[in-house]
């Protein structure tokens, strides 16, 4: 029940292949994401979800296929990776904050180093981004003084401040205690409401069902099924997907 590809895709992936040694991880992935769309990618561990995200921003090099962001082929040999990564914000499982910098400095650093903004303007934009995630009052706090949920929200603010065209989230709540998951997902819901384009690898099935425009189910390096949340969570008869979701159906009934 594959959903139709977006008519005007911001992100276009064709035939993406990636192996580690002799082990194939991605086996010819085709994926389109429209501007303003939230695509949730679900699937068992080892199915290639995180590797796919890392190929999009070239942290991993695909061995075959092409990726376009807008009209730029970001897998092209002459592409400027620094320019590409300004347009792609990535939020990792680990927060990847500098422990010796305040929340404000963690957010403003890339604005100064990559966007080349003056210090005052970078600070102003950093504070505005922290405001968006509800943490302006923690601007002078160091990561060790923040909860895990707050640290992840700072990491999201860091991406927001760069105003990328596309956000990639790689299991953004997996390192959090259960009681902190909701505050991060709430920020992501607000981003969707503002029309941000997001590709989210997640094990939060409730979030995928409630927030996603489209859900992709990956297994063993291929896209097995994709569709609307209802098509994936309610109506799919695909045995591999049904097996994966069996542990979640009772919770969501």
């Amino acid at each position: 029940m594959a959903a139709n590809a977006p008519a005007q895709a911001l992100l276009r992936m064709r035939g993406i292949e990636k192996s580690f040694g002799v082990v194939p991880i991605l086996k010819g992935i085709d994926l389109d994401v429209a501007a303003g769309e939230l695509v949730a990618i679900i699937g068992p561990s080892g199915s290639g979800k995180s590797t796919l995200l890392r190929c999009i921003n070239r942290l991993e090099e695909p061995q075959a296929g092409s990726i376009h962001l807008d009209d730029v082929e970001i897998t092209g040999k002459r592409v400027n990776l620094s320019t590409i990564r300004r347009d792609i914000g990535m939020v990792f499982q680990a927060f990847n904050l500098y422990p010796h910098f305040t929340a404000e400095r963690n957010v403003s650093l890339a604005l100064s180093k990559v966007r080349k903004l003056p210090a005052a303007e970078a600070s102003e934009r950093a504070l505005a981004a922290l405001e968006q995630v509800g943490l302006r009052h923690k601007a002078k706090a160091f990561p060790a003084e923040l909860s895990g949920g707050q640290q992840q929200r700072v990491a999201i603010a860091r991406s927001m401040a760069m105003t990328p065209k596309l956000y990639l989230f790689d299991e953004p709540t997996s390192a959090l205690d259960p009681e902190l998951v909701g505050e991060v997902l709430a920020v992501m819901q607000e981003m969707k409401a503002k029309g941000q384009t997001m590709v989210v690898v997640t094990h939060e099935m409730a979030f995928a069902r409630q927030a996603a425009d489209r859900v992709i189910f990956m297994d063993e390096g291929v896209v097995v099924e994709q569709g609307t949340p209802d098509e994936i969570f309610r109506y799919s008869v695909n045995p591999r997907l049904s097996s994966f979701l069996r542990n979640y159906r009772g919770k969501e009934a």
Side-chain angles (χ1 to χ4, degrees), residues 57-112:
N57 72 351
R58 297 282 301 276
L59 289 174
E60 297 288 352
E61 293 294 331
Q63 277 117 9
S66 64
I67 305 172
H68 286 78
L69 184 67
D70 269 351
D71 296 324
V72 177
E73 184 184 353
I74 63 178
T75 43
K77 292 183 179 179
R78 297 183 179 179
V79 71
N80 186 317
L81 287 181
S82 295
T83 300
I84 291 302
R85 288 174 181 156
R86 287 203 298 261
D87 290 331
I88 301 175
M90 188 154 184
V91 179
F92 298 89
Q93 299 179 32
F95 319 124
N96 291 356
L97 301 179
Y98 292 103
H100 55 293
F101 286 158
T102 65
E104 178 187 348
R105 184 58 177 153
N106 266 284
V107 175
S108 68
L109 184 63
L111 293 170
S112 300

Side-chain angles (χ1 to χ4, degrees), residues 1 42 205 208-210 215 217 225-238 241-242 245-246 248-250 252-253:
M1 113 202 17
I42 64 173
M205 296 299 118
R209 186 168 188 168
Q210 295 164 11
V215 180
F217 172 61
E225 189 97 355
Q226 64 174 300
T228 66
D230 271 354
E231 288 172 332
I232 293 298
F233 291 103
R234 296 183 64 186
Y235 302 125
S236 175
V237 295
N238 184 289
L241 175 57
S242 296
L245 293 176
R246 192 167 294 124
Y248 299 97
R249 289 194 184 279
E252 298 183 348

